[in-house]
Amino acid sequence: MVAFEPKNPDYRAAAMAMFAAQPAMHTLGISIVQLAPGEVELAMPHSAAFTQQNGFVHAGIITAGLDNACGVAAFTLMPREADILTVEFKTTLLAPARGSRFVFRAEVVKAGRTLTFCEARAFAEHGGKTTLIAAMTGTLMAMLPRAAASQAPAAIRA
């Protein structure tokens, strides 16, 4: 893992606030377990409400946890004024999502000015055993405020 230096000295509070502002994560019962510059660990308890026809947690739920883990990890390295948006991800499902608890770990691979590339893994915990169930790569975009139109050159305003 590369040691990253956050652009926002208050990255921890900013990331926690961004995460807390997401009703979807609250609905899924996902919480932040560990947070450091460029990395995060999230956790979610099993809920029968999120299973598919075979009793496994639905792939969409697992993907949502992975996507959010990538987003939080990337956000820890963004400037104070940035917001964040996922622009691309690929998920590979490796085993059925069966367990009592699910963990989503993400880390930044490359942090750019606008785009950040992350990798994440999802694990299922059950009966003292941990199983890798999915992997994701994702690209996230820093949404930075734009200069006011009145500050733009006249040729652009026209």
Side-chain angles (χ1 to χ4, degrees):
M1 164 84 190
V2 176
F4 290 103
E5 186 68 32
K7 294 176 185 168
N8 178 357
D10 295 324
Y11 78 90
R12 180 177 291 282
M16 298 293 275
M18 181 271 292
F19 185 84
Q22 298 181 53
M25 293 300 103
H26 178 73
T27 298
L28 296 175
I30 296 177
S31 60
I32 294 177
V33 176
Q34 292 181 1
L35 183 65
E39 60 184 89
V40 71
E41 180 176 304
L42 307 178
M44 177 185 81
H46 177 273
S47 173
F50 303 134
T51 59
Q52 44 84 294
Q53 72 278 5
N54 301 113
F56 309 131
V57 171
H58 194 283
I61 303 298
I62 298 302
T63 298
L66 287 166
D67 174 42
N68 207 272
C70 285
V72 174
F75 191 72
T76 65
L77 301 179
M78 293 184 180
R80 181 184 311 272
E81 67 275 10
D83 204 343
I84 188 165
L85 189 65
T86 300
V87 296
E88 175 274 337
F89 61 71
K90 180 194 184 307
T91 304
T92 302
L93 305 168
L94 303 167
R98 130 182 64 212
S100 56
R101 181 174 183 260
F102 299 89
V103 175
F104 308 97
R105 293 187 190 120
E107 62 183 34
V108 170
V109 174
K110 169 91 170 61
R113 185 178 57 80
T114 304
L115 297 178
T116 299
F117 183 78
C118 296
E119 293 180 343
R121 307 272 182 278
F123 300 89
E125 298 176 347
H126 188 68
K129 184 179 174 189
T130 300
T131 303
L132 175 64
I133 59 169
M136 174 181 278
T137 57
T139 306
L140 300 105
M141 178 178 78
M143 294 177 20
L144 299 167
R146 295 178 186 228
S150 62
Q151 297 173 340
I156 295 174
R157 287 192 306 240

